[in-house]
Amino acid sequence: MKKYFLLLLSLYSFSVSAQDWNKKKCAVVLTYDDALNVHLDKVVPALDSFKLKGTFYLTAAAAPFSKRLPEWKKVAANKHELANHTLFHPCDGSQPGRSFVTPDYNLATYSVRRIQDEVKMTNAALEALDGKKERTFAYPCGDTKVAGVSYLDGIKGEFVAARGVQGVMVQNSPTDLYNVGSFMINGQTGDELISMVKKAMETNSMIVFLFHGVGGEHALNVSLDAHRKLLQFLKQNEKEIWTTTFLEAAKYMKATGSAQKTN
């Protein structure tokens, strides 16, 4: 009888740990793409006011990055994550709805070597700011391949994990850490954003938010009010919600055995 009880206890403990997110019901990762001015001017101050941390996927050639380097260095010093979103943000112009892609930065005409070199250069630029070796990556436009070849395969050693664009809740179970799903945000209200977090809480999941504009500066945008309402909810429920950076979430998943083995 005692052995049976211990077995049940062990199984229960395993079940709980499998759903655990740093001893919280769920994990929330706030990511911001493309190195926009509004990220420095509005987003960082908002995050800091609630003592929350964000992940900024930076395009190193973008003017709001290259012309404001001292400010980004301060962002890193305040424990936000500076992450890699390539040098020039190339996207596959052969895909539908990609009229915005310019010939110079059309991933469809790139070589694998070219995109890999640009990714490595961005890592070097980020390391010059924050002094860190560990880095995560986000695929521009969610495009992962050049001529059918995964361009990250040859440089996975440069990164702990990579963010994709599939709108899925992430389970703390075997997961491909080089294509973690996220929800692209565009026009949702604060209540709708909070509802998404509540769904993550109910399902013991991690939700990764993918923001671009926050209060403007990008066609994909969410209002400052909606964004602030989300942050307020996260802060008010921090006993149940682990709000963390993409890097720390990925490292936690690796440590708990949730990283899917890849070649």
Side-chain angles (χ1 to χ4, degrees):
M1 186 68 179
K2 184 178 179 181
K3 287 183 178 180
Y4 179 73
F5 174 77
L6 290 174
L7 176 61
L8 287 178
L9 184 62
S10 175
L11 291 173
Y12 173 78
S13 298
F14 175 81
S15 175
V16 170
S17 64
Q19 296 180 342
D20 172 65
W21 291 97
N22 199 24
K23 300 181 180 179
K24 306 290 177 73
K25 284 185 177 180
C26 73
V28 173
V29 177
L30 306 169
T31 71
Y32 304 86
D33 283 19
D34 298 356
L36 304 179
N37 287 302
V38 73
H39 296 160
L40 287 172
D41 298 335
K42 301 294 184 180
V43 171
V44 170
L47 289 170
D48 289 347
S49 71
F50 290 104
K51 297 183 179 179
L52 297 173
K53 304 306 174 189
T55 296
F56 294 88
Y57 282 106
L58 301 170
T59 303
F65 177 73
S66 61
K67 293 183 178 180
R68 302 182 70 174
L69 293 176
E71 292 169 87
W72 286 111
K73 189 171 185 177
K74 289 180 181 178
V75 170
N78 201 25
K79 308 302 182 183
H80 298 288
E81 180 188 355
L82 303 188
N84 192 318
H85 202 37
T86 73
L87 187 58
F88 298 113
H89 199 287
C91 294
D92 187 345
S94 68
Q95 298 297 315
R98 296 289 178 81
S99 59
F100 62 87
V101 177
T102 63
D104 288 338
Y105 303 119
N106 184 351
L107 196 62
T109 61
Y110 265 44
S111 66
V112 171
R113 173 67 180 272
R114 178 181 174 183
I115 183 61
Q116 288 178 341
D117 285 350
E118 292 180 5
V119 167
K120 290 178 181 179
M121 180 61 70
T122 302
N123 264 7
L126 297 177
E127 185 179 348
L129 287 183
D130 63 16
K132 296 180 179 179
K133 296 287 188 182
E134 290 183 314
R135 199 74 58 192
T136 67
F137 179 77
Y139 301 96
C141 300
D143 298 331
T144 64
K145 298 180 179 180
V146 173
V149 177
S150 171
Y151 63 80
L152 206 64
D153 278 350
I155 53 172
K156 280 184 176 178
E158 302 276 334
F159 300 102
V160 175
R163 195 209 65 202
V165 296
Q166 323 85 284
V168 295
M169 295 282 179
V170 181
Q171 301 300 309
N172 195 1
S173 57
T175 299
D176 180 4
L177 290 186
Y178 291 97
N179 200 3
V180 177
S182 64
F183 288 87
M184 189 176 296
I185 302 305
N186 185 26
Q188 285 91 336
T189 65
D191 288 339
E192 287 172 331
L193 297 176
I194 290 169
S195 178
M196 295 167 73
V197 176
K198 288 180 177 178
K199 182 67 174 178
M201 295 173 75
E202 292 168 3
T203 57
N204 300 112
S205 305
M206 176 173 74
I207 180 170
V208 180
F209 285 98
L210 195 177
F211 293 103
H212 289 83
V214 180
E217 203 179 339
H218 199 285
L220 300 171
N221 184 59
V222 68
S223 71
L224 289 171
D225 181 67
H227 181 259
R228 185 171 184 81
K229 194 168 185 177
L230 170 64
L231 300 188
Q232 190 172 37
F233 177 81
L234 296 177
K235 187 64 178 180
Q236 290 173 342
N237 293 275
E238 61 185 353
K239 289 184 178 180
E240 296 182 299
I241 301 170
W242 182 35
T243 304
T244 189
T245 63
F246 192 81
L247 176 62
E248 291 305 314
K251 288 168 66 176
Y252 180 80
M253 292 180 74
K254 278 193 171 184
T256 56
S258 299
Q260 188 178 82
K261 291 184 179 181
T262 57
N263 296 327

